[in-house]
Amino acid sequence: MLQLKTPLSPTESEMLLQCLSEMENNLMSKNSSSNQDMLKRTTLASARQKVQSQMYDCFYREEIANMVFALDSLSRKYHAQLTESTPVETAATVGSVLRTVAVTRAKLRQAATRK
């Protein structure tokens, strides 16, 4: 089991929960009954439940990997919104989200590299 040495802030937890829920919804909308998709849905649900209950000391490596992937997807989505013509206020908001994603992802990766 892996443990986060630095707990997630409420903002980081909320963002991660949103990402995990989106991934779960995307998998459910595929209506696939493959073993791989079922396992992934179970892993996402388990990770989401642990984050919701603020249990940061019992993650499986696969849960961490899925959470990092979810945050990477969110990061790409927000990064795509940044252009030279993006209004300053929007860019500041997007930058704030990207920073939160990066910090959360770093915490998760740090846990994944520990033995």
Side-chain angles (χ1 to χ4, degrees):
M1 293 287 214
L2 302 173
Q3 176 179 353
L4 293 183
K5 295 297 181 186
T6 308
L8 301 176
S9 72
T11 303
E12 294 164 347
S13 293
E14 186 61 37
M15 182 176 296
L16 185 54
L17 289 171
Q18 176 188 358
C19 292
L20 292 171
S21 293
E22 284 180 22
M23 282 186 73
E24 279 183 283
N25 291 337
N26 287 340
L27 276 174
M28 290 171 96
S29 69
K30 283 175 49 175
N31 287 329
S32 171
S33 60
S34 74
N35 287 341
Q36 184 178 8
D37 284 345
M38 297 280 255
L39 180 61
K40 190 167 188 172
R41 274 191 298 214
T42 302
T43 302
L44 289 169
S46 174
R48 184 177 40 78
Q49 184 178 23
K50 289 174 185 177
V51 172
Q52 280 177 330
S53 63
Q54 299 179 351
M55 289 179 47
Y56 300 125
D57 60 349
C58 58
F59 287 110
Y60 290 103
R61 189 168 300 279
E62 189 167 304
E63 290 171 334
I64 298 259
N66 279 299
M67 289 187 286
V68 168
F69 181 76
L71 290 167
D72 285 343
S73 298
L74 182 66
S75 178
R76 284 190 297 277
K77 184 169 95 175
Y78 272 85
H79 191 270
Q81 294 178 15
L82 293 175
T83 64
E84 288 185 23
S85 61
T86 303
V88 174
E89 298 81 21
T90 303
T93 302
V94 169
S96 176
V97 169
L98 289 173
R99 181 184 183 287
T100 303
V101 167
V103 169
T104 308
R105 190 172 42 212
K107 288 178 181 180
L108 292 170
R109 284 187 175 156
Q110 184 181 35
T113 59
R114 295 179 194 250
K115 294 186 179 182

